[in-house]
Amino acid sequence: MKILLTGGSGLLGRNLISHLSGHEVIAPSSTELDITNPLSFIPFKCDLVIHCAAIAKFADAEKDPIGTIETNIQGTCNALKHAMNKGARFVFISSSHVFDGQKGNYSHDDLPNPLTRYAKSKVAAEMATQIYEKSLVIRTEFCDVDFPFDTAYTDKWSSKEYVDNLTPTMVDAIISNQTGVTHIAHESLEPAQRQ
């Protein structure tokens, strides 16, 4: 299968590439494929589009709302339209941050309640993605294997998982025929634990 992967240089993108052996993965850099420009997609033939590219840092989204709209919403729509024009499957990587965190243990049927600009942009992109019948939205939350901080919360519970543990399950969903919305995360655990 020929796969077009946006955001291939990011943490998740790099891990996905390493688990997609047996497939032809095209992961252009942001200079080779500007997701905010629909014409930039034209040269890329594919059977599947995995859309990971995004402004993913909350602080960046808060400081640059226009850039967040252009990248996270319009960029997703451009990638989606490319998949639709090619008749290709489309997988959009979303976030558990589409929820407000008040209830916990969310299912894919729970209504999003995004609080930040980042989360709102992900919900908007999810809604566009679901217009296409050959699409899958994956809500997830992951972190690098190396913990990048000096300290951590001891009273916060999360479904965040180390990216290397999460990627094989994501790849199974990506290459399946599953459509709609799914959640791929760890069971709720304290941040310091690793299995």
Side-chain angles (χ1 to χ4, degrees), residues 36 54-55 60-61 63-75:
T36 66
I55 291 177
D60 293 344
K63 284 188 274 187
D64 186 8
I66 292 173
T68 301
I69 290 168
E70 291 171 347
T71 302
N72 292 6
I73 301 173
Q74 292 173 343

Side-chain angles (χ1 to χ4, degrees), residues 55-130:
I55 291 177
K57 293 183 179 174
F58 301 119
D60 293 344
E62 291 302 313
K63 284 188 274 187
D64 186 8
I66 292 173
T68 301
I69 290 168
E70 291 171 347
T71 302
N72 292 6
I73 301 173
Q74 292 173 343
T76 301
C77 290
N78 291 337
L80 175 64
K81 288 187 288 185
H82 182 69
M84 293 173 79
N85 288 334
K86 298 292 182 190
R89 177 171 161 76
F90 184 75
V91 177
F92 171 61
I93 306 301
S94 190
S95 170
S96 63
H97 289 274
V98 300
F99 300 112
D100 59 18
Q102 296 302 307
K103 181 184 102 146
N105 295 318
Y106 292 98
S107 80
H108 64 276
D109 293 322
D110 287 317
L111 290 176
N113 186 27
L115 301 179
T116 65
R117 286 178 170 162
Y118 166 76
K120 290 172 184 178
S121 72
K122 285 296 193 177
V123 170
E126 281 189 10
M127 294 297 107
T129 297
Q130 292 177 69

Side-chain angles (χ1 to χ4, degrees), residues 7-60:
S9 64
L11 177 61
L12 179 60
R14 292 189 314 269
N15 277 270
L16 287 173
I17 290 168
S18 70
H19 283 84
L20 286 165
S21 58
H23 300 282
E24 182 184 347
V25 179
I26 306 157
S29 69
S30 60
T31 56
E32 297 167 316
L33 173 60
D34 174 4
I35 65 168
T36 66
N37 178 357
L39 300 178
S40 188
F41 284 88
I42 291 173
F44 298 101
K45 294 178 174 53
C46 57
D47 306 300
L48 166 64
V49 175
I50 306 170
H51 184 53
C52 297
I55 291 177
K57 293 183 179 174
F58 301 119
D60 293 344

